[in-house]
Amino acid sequence: MGVNLPAPASALAIGAHPDDVEFGCGATLAKWAATGCVVHHLVCTDGSKGTWDPADDLAELVARRQDEQRAAAKALGATGEVVFLGWPDGELESGLRQRGEVAYWIRRLRPEVVLGHDPWKRYRLHPDHRHAGFLTVDGVVAARDPHFFPDQHVEHHRPSALLLFEADEPDHVEEAGDDAVARKLAALEAHRSQLRSTMRVEPGSGEEEAQLAAFRARVNERLVAHGRIAGVTRGEAFKAITDL
Ligand SMILES: [Zn+2]
């Protein structure tokens, strides 16, 4: 079991939807950002399925979720880019075209560490999370060698580590202190449009504060459970691949 990589100079976190990065590795990114690490986000889909209200204006929702993602990045202390690939939510594929886009951004942003969904997480239902995981892994492989996608005219780049969150077989934990946990929660709560569907908070119900407290408690419980794997108080667990 590994604990705590040396804080990298730069990191790129790849998520299927706005908010996935905050759930998967928000505390780790906040911890690194506090040391001066430049943290970038890459969001594969447009998040247009992220509402339970059939009457919602989806173009408005997409724009709103991009604003929320930028606010969440800021809440983590991230100073890097927030990139949206804009593939339709629920319809992400891990084909060559998408892989080329992810490889391009890895080459362009040149992160020391890449983080993303574990594509091999068993019994994972949401196809976007699966595909975003494969795009992360396959994107790293394509980015590191010069003869993949040579028409991109951007220098190849080999990150030094890949951390997969929602790991099927976690073997690495990043410890999360109070500040990192507070920033992760603030970043999650910046995704205001997801209060109902993801955080189980009903705005205007009169129960909002209690429901928000329950959400924070659930996030904290998960951090405690992940920390326990490595014998630390709180943390985020990953499958770490460092022989890239
Ligand atoms: Zn998601």
Side-chain angles (χ1 to χ4, degrees), residues 15-20 65 89 117 126 128-129 166:
H17 311 104
D19 81 4
D20 286 330
R65 295 198 70 183
D89 193 345
H117 301 268
H126 203 306
D128 289 349
H129 294 165
E166 301 154 1

Side-chain angles (χ1 to χ4, degrees), residues 132-149:
F134 280 118
L135 288 173
T136 302
V137 174
D138 299 351
V140 165
V141 171
R144 69 189 183 181
D145 290 320
H147 296 294
F148 286 75
F149 302 107

Side-chain angles (χ1 to χ4, degrees), residues 219-243:
V219 171
N220 197 59
E221 272 165 35
R222 189 179 301 186
L223 290 164
V224 169
H226 281 200
R228 197 175 295 131
I229 301 172
V232 300
T233 310
R234 282 177 299 186
E236 288 173 332
F238 302 93
K239 171 70 188 178
I241 300 173
T242 52
D243 51 346

Side-chain angles (χ1 to χ4, degrees), residues 98-118:
Q98 294 84 356
R99 187 193 307 177
E101 290 187 354
V102 171
Y104 169 80
W105 282 104
I106 293 171
R107 287 171 165 180
R108 173 134 172 223
L109 299 171
R110 311 188 72 71
E112 202 175 320
V113 177
V114 173
L115 308 95
H117 301 268
D118 180 352

Side-chain angles (χ1 to χ4, degrees), residues 85-201:
L85 297 184
W87 292 94
D89 193 345
E91 299 171 22
L92 184 63
E93 292 179 348
S94 43
L96 266 183
R97 192 164 151 212
Q98 294 84 356
R99 187 193 307 177
E101 290 187 354
V102 171
Y104 169 80
W105 282 104
I106 293 171
R107 287 171 165 180
R108 173 134 172 223
L109 299 171
R110 311 188 72 71
E112 202 175 320
V113 177
V114 173
L115 308 95
H117 301 268
D118 180 352
W120 298 288
K121 168 86 170 172
R122 275 172 284 189
Y123 311 116
R124 178 199 281 296
L125 293 187
H126 203 306
D128 289 349
H129 294 165
R130 208 160 57 230
H131 286 293
F134 280 118
L135 288 173
T136 302
V137 174
D138 299 351
V140 165
V141 171
R144 69 189 183 181
D145 290 320
H147 296 294
F148 286 75
F149 302 107
D151 54 330
Q152 288 183 348
H153 302 297
V154 48
E155 204 191 335
H156 61 282
H157 173 70
R158 184 183 295 260
S160 58
L162 173 60
L163 294 184
L164 300 174
F165 51 78
E166 301 154 1
D168 200 63
E169 294 184 8
D171 61 1
H172 179 88
V173 170
E174 285 294 326
E175 260 183 298
D178 291 343
D179 181 64
V181 172
R183 283 180 176 274
K184 176 184 175 98
L185 286 167
L188 283 166
E189 290 164 31
H191 295 280
R192 301 281 305 167
S193 65
Q194 305 305 296
L195 280 173
R196 281 184 74 202
S197 56
T198 305
M199 297 178 238
R200 292 182 238 157
V201 176

